[in-house]
């Protein structure tokens, strides 16, 4: 990775997560730190993508709502 890394210091994880990290490290030959770093980065990318899609959908909905509002008279009835 060529991005800046921050040390989370004494990050506490569950026993289940620790077991998964140990198994993944053992089966892949990669370090637990590398696996955890990649997993967190992948999760962040998914959440960021979902947020980006949500913003786009909300913008589309707002635009559609504004278009519908312009097609109604002051009493809320369609023109």
């Amino acid at each position: 990775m060529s991005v800046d890394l921050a040390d989370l210091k004494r990050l506490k994880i569950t026993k289940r997560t620790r077991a998964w990290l140990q198994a993944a490290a053992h089966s892949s030959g990669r370090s637990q730190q590398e696996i955890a770093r990649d997993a967190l980065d992948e999760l962040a990318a998914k959440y960021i993508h979902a947020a980006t899609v949500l913003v786009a959908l909300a913008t589309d909905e707002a635009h559609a709502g504004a278009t519908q509002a312009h097609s109604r008279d002051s009493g809320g009835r369609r023109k």
Side-chain angles (χ1 to χ4, degrees):
M1 258 193 233
S2 62
V3 291
D4 291 336
L5 301 176
D7 188 357
L8 294 177
K9 302 290 180 198
R10 303 165 45 99
L11 176 67
K12 302 215 184 283
I13 59 173
T14 64
K15 289 180 181 180
R16 177 176 57 186
T17 301
R18 178 71 173 176
W20 171 74
L21 282 171
Q22 288 174 330
H26 184 73
S27 66
S28 69
R30 296 168 54 204
S31 72
Q32 291 182 33
Q33 292 83 0
E34 182 182 2
I35 293 166
R37 182 175 50 245
D38 290 349
L40 285 170
D41 188 60
E42 184 178 324
L43 185 61
K46 287 179 183 179
Y47 275 101
I48 290 167
H49 176 69
T52 303
V53 170
L54 177 60
V55 167
L57 290 173
T59 301
D60 291 346
E61 287 290 323
H63 180 62
T67 301
Q68 286 179 347
H70 290 303
S71 67
R72 297 180 184 271
D73 64 16
S74 61
R77 295 176 297 270
R78 288 189 174 255
K79 293 182 181 179

